[in-house]
Amino acid sequence: MSIERTLSIIKPDAVAKNVVGKILSRFEENGLKIIALKLVQLSQQQAGEFYAVHKERPFYNDLVQYMTGGPVVVSVLEGADAVSLNRKLMGATDPKKADPGTIRADFADSISANAVHGSDSKENAEIEVKFFFPELSR
């Protein structure tokens, strides 16, 4: 097991529900350390750049609109196999298919309003951490 860093975003729907503390607690209770944290209101440009990988997909514009619709909490999580552990804690993208006890099963409303984002690979984690926290780049 290697010590990794991964990016987590608590999305506008979860921030609006006032469940930020509950979600952050899940990370800490499962061995992830929060090493950076901030509340951000993404601009259209920032959201567009961050999700540029999805630019050609039909949901891209809706995703950018959704992510700019309210504040988000962005954090860097660190721990043993942080990327895969965070993915496990989040659960399936569709909260109806997410395992009970996962963040999305407990707090998400739909596939699009799914409470959290997490890096999907070590490589993307490095890119995503650098996007929001350039001072932490290795």
Side-chain angles (χ1 to χ4, degrees):
M1 280 191 279
S2 63
I3 300 299
E4 299 171 351
R5 289 180 177 171
T6 190
L7 187 83
S8 172
I9 301 175
I10 301 176
K11 295 181 177 182
D13 60 299
V15 173
K17 285 184 199 171
N18 203 30
V19 294
V20 171
K22 291 177 182 179
I23 293 172
L24 293 175
S25 291
R26 299 271 179 106
F27 301 141
E28 293 179 321
E29 291 164 0
N30 286 280
L32 293 171
K33 183 177 179 182
I34 300 164
I35 63 166
L37 177 79
K38 60 184 168 184
L39 181 71
V40 178
Q41 176 66 55
L42 294 175
S43 68
Q44 293 278 332
Q45 181 180 347
Q46 288 171 314
E49 286 177 30
F50 185 77
Y51 287 107
V53 66
H54 299 302
K55 193 166 183 123
E56 299 306 317
R57 297 208 168 147
F59 60 82
Y60 173 77
N61 289 329
D62 290 339
L63 176 61
V64 169
Q65 191 68 30
Y66 161 67
M67 290 300 292
T68 60
V72 298
V73 174
V74 184
S75 63
V76 179
L77 309 174
E78 185 176 76
D81 295 320
V83 173
S84 62
L85 177 54
N86 185 37
R87 305 285 303 164
K88 181 180 173 187
L89 294 173
M90 289 190 308
T93 303
D94 182 347
K96 292 178 183 137
K97 296 178 182 175
D99 290 336
T102 61
I103 293 168
R104 288 178 172 147
D106 291 345
F107 303 114
D109 294 325
S110 66
I111 291 176
S112 57
N114 63 7
V116 287
H117 164 90
S119 304
D120 63 1
S121 68
K122 288 192 281 188
E123 296 76 24
N124 282 340
E126 286 184 30
I127 293 165
E128 292 179 353
V129 167
K130 186 177 181 178
F131 185 89
F132 286 104
F133 300 95
E135 68 276 13
L136 294 180
S137 295
R138 295 181 179 184

